[in-house]
Every structure is written in C-alpha cells, then in structure tokens.
Amino acid sequence: MIKLVVCVSGGGTNLQHIIDRISDGTIHEAEIVRVIANNADAYALERAGKAGIDAVCVSPKSFDDRGSFNQALLKAVDEVKPDLIVLAGFLVAIPPEMIRKYPDRIINIHPSLIPSFCGVGYYGLHVHEKVLDRGVKITGATVHFVDEGMDSGPIILQKAVEVMNGDTPEVLQKRVMEQAEWIILPRAIELIAEGKVRVSGRRTEILESPDMEA
Ligand code: GAR
C-alpha cells in the first residue's frame, strides 16, 4: 500500500475522483494520508474533510518570503512520509528542493496534450482559452512526472478529447475533465501503486497496458 499526499488549489474534482476510485476499490494499493491546499478557500479542503482525510492549508500569503513558504510546504509533505505526491490542480510552483528530494515521486495532471499548450501561463481555464484561440480540433490531458522544468517531466498517460463547434473555455474544460482527467489521473496512481510504471530518461514504460475504457 503506498501513501499519497494530494496537493490542490481549488475545486478539487480530481481529488474527488481519486477518493472515489480508492473507495470503490479501483485503486486498491494506495491511500491518501494528507491533502495540502495553498489556499484556505479551496473547496478541495471540504472534500477531504468529508472523506475523513487529514487536510492542511499552507498558503504563501502566511509567509514573508518564498523560501519560508517552500520550507513549510516541504515540512507538511515530509511529516507524513509519502511514497507519491499528486498535484491535482495545484497551481503554485513546486520548490526545487522538493523535486530533488522526491525524484520520480511527484506527478501532475495538466489539461492539454503536452507538449502543446503547456509551460508558463498555461494553467486552469487559460489552457482551454488558448486551445480555442488556436483553433485546434483535438486537445486532452496529460499525467506526467514533475521535474525541475515546467510541464517537462516524463509523460505517464495522455488522453485525447475533441474540440466541438461552439465550445466555450468552460464547456471544453468540463469535457476534458470528464473524458480525460478524471480517468487518467486515478489510472496513473493505480499503475504506479502496482509498480507498473518504469521511468527511463524522458520516457516511461507502462508494464501492463492500461485499459482506458474502465
Ligand atoms: C484541472 O483542470 C487541472 O488539470 C488543472 O487545474 C484544474 C483543477 O481542477 N491543472 C493545471 O492547469 C496545472 N497546470 P480541480 O481542482 O477541479 O481538480
């Protein structure tokens, strides 16, 4: 059984799907030992509370400088000795010291098909605004390991989603969540928990091909 810390900033729908897949037994080799939010108003904190999961807020606003915030964030993680840190809509930069301390043990869900529509300024609804501006017909979501670059770590899973005529950023965001994010993030956790993801340089190898229909 691996121990997860899930980091969140907002609504926490991805967190909710991880909680649900653990309770229905789809993810059976992992448990969430702590949820960390960077924002006290994050609805994700309520979701964690309802599920009886330890939840803490570590906000940059409570610290004089970035270094002190980074230290507090790392402490909140280290305290529960996680095997895997899941960034489920965590919209603050991860301290480099945390990335060095947890190599290949931090994963992130990004709402596009990396390397498209990622990097600085590409987060949340902005990603979908830019997808619609550019007029692409296919978008999607990516789960990847976190390295010291921005959205540049080894890709674990991706799933494509169609852009439809008349989409607004909000409508597209919801479709990408429903058809991609809420499926591939729990699936990636399950695969890692079962020891089925091998990292080799910039690539990952999935030792058993995931059934994307589930
Ligand atoms: C999700 O769409 C996630 O992919 C995105 O934030 C949203 C959080 O929603 N993350 C990023 O943009 C990271 N670059 P949620 O709080 O409902 O899970």
Side-chain angles (χ1 to χ4, degrees):
M1 183 73 77
I2 67 165
K3 294 197 286 179
L4 311 176
V5 160
V6 183
C7 299
V8 292
S9 295
T13 63
N14 279 286
L15 167 67
Q16 189 65 55
H17 279 77
I18 301 167
I19 292 171
D20 293 348
R21 295 295 77 75
I22 291 175
S23 41
D24 71 15
T26 311
I27 300 176
H28 43 81
E29 295 294 338
E31 59 173 334
I32 303 174
V33 292
R34 174 167 283 180
V35 168
I36 301 175
N38 66 307
N39 156 21
D41 299 329
Y43 183 66
L45 286 172
E46 280 191 41
R47 294 183 191 272
K50 280 185 194 151
I53 299 166
D54 170 49
V56 297
C57 173
V58 184
S59 165
K61 290 182 195 150
S62 316
F63 299 90
D64 293 336
D65 54 57
R66 201 72 190 180
S68 317
F69 165 72
N70 285 352
Q71 268 185 2
L73 184 62
L74 189 54
K75 183 166 173 279
V77 168
D78 284 347
E79 272 169 6
V80 291
K81 299 186 170 49
D83 300 295
L84 185 68
I85 300 161
V86 180
L87 310 182
F90 192 56
L91 304 182
V92 295
I94 295 300
E97 54 269 45
M98 191 189 297
I99 296 168
R100 285 193 288 269
K101 189 160 183 181
Y102 293 91
D104 299 336
R105 285 165 65 198
I106 308 176
I107 64 171
N108 179 49
I109 178 82
H110 182 78
S112 76
L113 293 174
I114 289 175
S116 289
F117 304 103
C118 64
V120 179
Y122 287 84
Y123 61 92
L125 207 55
H126 298 300
V127 176
H128 306 292
E129 286 165 1
K130 287 168 181 165
V131 161
L132 292 174
D133 274 352
R134 183 61 188 84
V136 297
K137 303 296 186 190
I138 300 287
T139 183
T142 303
V143 183
H144 63 94
F145 285 107
V146 174
D147 65 8
E148 290 193 46
M150 185 71 121
D151 299 328
S152 56
I155 290 170
I156 305 164
L157 293 176
Q158 293 190 297
K159 196 163 188 291
V161 174
E162 250 186 287
V163 180
M164 314 281 257
N165 287 340
D167 272 352
T168 62
E170 291 80 6
V171 166
L172 183 57
Q173 178 180 52
K174 187 158 181 284
R175 188 179 314 116
V176 168
M177 285 177 158
E178 285 172 354
Q179 295 185 6
E181 296 187 41
W182 297 342
I183 298 166
I184 64 174
L185 184 57
R187 177 61 61 136
I189 293 168
E190 187 193 343
L191 288 168
I192 292 168
E194 292 175 359
K196 291 179 179 163
V197 179
R198 186 186 296 150
V199 185
S200 158
R202 291 199 78 189
R203 302 185 187 189
T204 66
E205 192 186 340
I206 307 299
L207 300 179
E208 183 186 277
S209 157
D211 170 9
M212 300 306 292
E213 299 309 313

